[in-house]
Amino acid sequence: MKSGVSMEEAQSLLLDQVTVVDTGVVSLLQANGRVVSRKICSMENVPPFDRSPLDGYALKAADTQGATPEHPVKLNVIEEIRAGFAAKKKVTPGTAIKLMTGAPMPAGADVVIKYEAVKREENDLFVSEQLQSGSNVVLAGEDVVNGEVIVQPGELITPPLVGLLAAIGAEQIPVYNKVKIAIFSTGDELVNPGEALSPGKIHNSNLHSLGARCFELGAEPIYGGIVGDELEKTATKLRKALTEADIVITTGGVSVGDFDLVPKALQHIDADVIFRRVKMKPGSPMMAAKKDHKLLIGLSGNPAAAFITFDLLVVPVIKKMMGLRQVMPLTLEAVLDDPFEKSSPQRRFLRGRLKREYVGSKIQLTGKQTNGVLKSMIGCDVLVDVPAGSGPLVCGQKVSALLL
Ligand code: AMP
Ligand code: MG
């Protein structure tokens, strides 16, 4: 068991323990937000045939040789086709086929001219410009060619990818299963939202903020509610959570108070503690353990601390379990747009919002930075990484930050 590890050490100790969840198949309608588990190649061209990108006439470019407004060439319109149907006839010298956007190119034609550029009288078509072979023709495979790799394993399925999978005709999509995350909150003071508060009680926010974050990541939170500060009950809750989920998260009760019973409860169920305390603020009193090949992570009960340590230390773990390839938050350099008056004897993460500027980026702080304040997490998309031993920060100071 390690004590007082750096954030990076904690991250790698946790990631070392991760096994990726099993795989399955979902229908395309269920695929958005899931992670692809196998390489997917297209078995067809998209589009599957050469087609017209506009409403016009398909003809032979050679027929328009020398055409001018004064001396247009006259062609005979032999057929009309719309999207979804193939021409029955072939374009031969001196002929044209009328077609609508998306209709396949008729055999024999090598160019399309739009309606607005021609004159039509009965079946006679007058073209008054010389056309380039191939112009206004979308070739088969413009988007995807037969055999092309559409997506690699470990990629998140997003709406355009859903569309592309549909375009190649895929309907059953190989994905990683959803990661099941058991979460429960410890604390005698906690009451469920919707219930009245009696003296000394507060509403349980951690369960809901972290559950929502799990859901947003595409994982499946299993809400375990509240357990009071009692050893047996906490241990029972941990055991139950282990049977239901791939990973267990608790909030509260990991510090050194008389009723901080999560460390004892983990001992009680014979979990192997991996580390206790991380050298960062907020959230330093957190811990991680392992039992039955599953991670159990105890986070501080302070709402902002719980959320920030969840994002920095637990989210990469969940992402790896989900099968994602990119799991770590990206780092960026920016300029602070607000001062921060306190010194930071310990490494500290400040909640901020990235303001993209023409040159460089600025970070505005989102409000009060204390452990118990959750409001400043709203709209927070970066965490300014303040090194241990820093003095107060001034407006305009260069900082490094982690992108959430
Ligand atoms: P603890 O980590 O248990 O020492 O709790 C630290 C602080 O966070 C205390 O003020 C708790 O009342 C508060 N707290 C603990 N758990 C929660 C929770 N689930 N929701 C909101 N606040 C909490
Ligand atoms: Mg507590």
Side-chain angles (χ1 to χ4, degrees):
M1 195 265 281
K2 298 202 172 199
S3 186
V5 295
S6 70
M7 182 181 75
E8 286 74 10
E9 194 179 353
Q11 282 167 334
S12 73
L13 285 168
L14 291 173
L15 289 173
D16 282 351
Q17 302 294 333
V18 169
T19 41
V20 178
V21 292
D22 290 339
T23 61
V25 167
V26 291
S27 79
L28 191 58
L29 290 173
Q30 309 299 324
N32 191 42
R34 302 297 294 267
V35 180
V36 175
S37 63
R38 262 191 287 120
K39 180 167 90 173
I40 301 177
C41 296
S42 179
M43 312 257 270
E44 51 196 55
N45 284 320
V46 181
F49 47 82
D50 295 352
R51 69 182 177 193
S52 173
L54 41 82
D55 300 314
Y57 291 87
L59 46 99
K60 285 183 177 291
D63 278 350
T64 64
Q65 192 80 43
T68 62
E70 295 75 39
H71 302 285
V73 296
K74 189 174 94 177
L75 301 171
N76 180 25
V77 180
I78 55 172
E79 193 181 346
E80 300 196 351
I81 52 169
R82 51 195 175 117
F85 298 91
K88 295 187 182 71
K89 293 182 182 157
K90 203 176 150 182
V91 172
T92 52
T95 68
I97 289 180
K98 181 178 171 182
L99 76 188
M100 321 289 152
T101 305
M105 282 298 283
D110 63 349
V111 66
V112 172
I113 184 167
K114 60 183 177 191
Y115 283 176
E116 299 88 325
V118 295
K119 270 211 336 240
R120 170 110 183 240
E121 285 166 18
E122 308 266 296
N123 279 342
D124 291 339
L125 182 75
F126 297 92
V127 180
S128 53
E129 60 190 291
Q130 197 166 308
L131 302 175
Q132 281 276 329
S133 175
S135 72
N136 290 334
V137 178
V138 170
L139 296 179
E142 181 199 41
D143 196 354
V144 178
V145 293
N146 192 345
E148 188 177 330
V149 178
I150 296 301
V151 57
Q152 294 283 1
E155 291 291 328
L156 185 70
I157 303 180
T158 56
L161 181 56
V162 171
L164 201 60
L165 290 166
I168 66 166
E171 204 283 318
Q172 293 289 301
I173 314 299
V175 294
Y176 287 103
N177 291 344
K178 284 196 176 188
V179 175
K180 291 187 185 146
I181 305 170
I183 317 174
F184 67 88
S185 297
T186 73
D188 282 333
E189 72 277 38
L190 301 177
V191 166
N192 289 317
E195 291 172 6
L197 296 178
S198 50
K201 306 291 179 185
I202 59 169
H203 285 124
N204 177 8
S205 67
N206 290 335
L207 185 71
H208 299 278
S209 56
L210 300 187
R213 185 77 177 102
C214 292
F215 193 75
E216 184 183 62
L217 285 167
E220 188 183 319
I222 300 171
Y223 292 90
I226 298 166
V227 62
D229 294 312
E230 288 170 66
L231 181 60
E232 278 297 341
K233 284 189 178 160
T234 308
T236 305
K237 203 92 170 161
L238 286 171
R239 279 196 208 94
K240 180 163 183 277
L242 275 173
T243 63
E244 295 170 334
D246 302 306
I247 179 169
V248 179
I249 311 295
T250 65
T251 71
V254 279
S255 199
V256 292
D258 295 350
F259 295 95
D260 287 335
L261 297 172
V262 171
K264 286 200 187 92
L266 286 167
Q267 225 176 10
H268 203 72
I269 66 162
D270 281 328
D272 296 318
V273 176
I274 302 167
F275 64 79
R276 273 193 81 171
R277 297 192 70 80
V278 180
K279 287 190 268 180
M280 62 184 276
K281 199 175 159 62
S284 55
M286 71 171 278
M287 66 182 299
K290 197 169 185 189
K291 163 105 180 144
D292 303 340
H293 306 287
K294 291 176 183 174
L295 280 170
L296 303 108
I297 303 178
L299 302 176
S300 158
N302 277 301
F307 204 89
I308 288 173
T309 45
F310 187 84
D311 255 4
L312 294 180
L313 290 135
V314 185
V315 169
V317 168
I318 295 171
K319 287 184 170 174
K320 188 168 175 193
M321 291 173 82
M322 288 169 73
L324 280 170
R325 269 188 301 169
Q326 167 62 41
V327 303
M328 296 304 285
L330 300 174
T331 321
L332 66 109
E333 305 296 318
V335 169
L336 203 58
D337 210 21
D338 285 311
F340 179 70
E341 268 104 33
K342 283 188 181 168
S343 297
S344 305
Q346 215 185 153
R347 183 183 188 179
R348 186 200 292 276
F349 289 95
L350 297 176
R351 291 149 244 175
R353 185 183 304 119
L354 191 65
K355 229 173 85 183
R356 285 171 210 275
E357 303 252 308
Y358 230 23
V359 181
S361 301
K362 286 186 177 167
I363 295 175
Q364 290 174 325
L365 299 181
T366 45
K368 280 193 203 133
Q369 299 288 334
T370 43
N371 285 341
V373 170
L374 192 53
K375 204 163 60 186
S376 53
M377 277 312 301
I378 294 169
C380 163
D381 55 7
V382 286
L383 290 170
V384 178
D385 187 352
V386 186
S390 303
L393 306 180
V394 295
C395 190
Q397 183 156 348
K398 272 195 185 156
V399 290
S400 140
L402 296 172
L403 202 59
L404 296 183

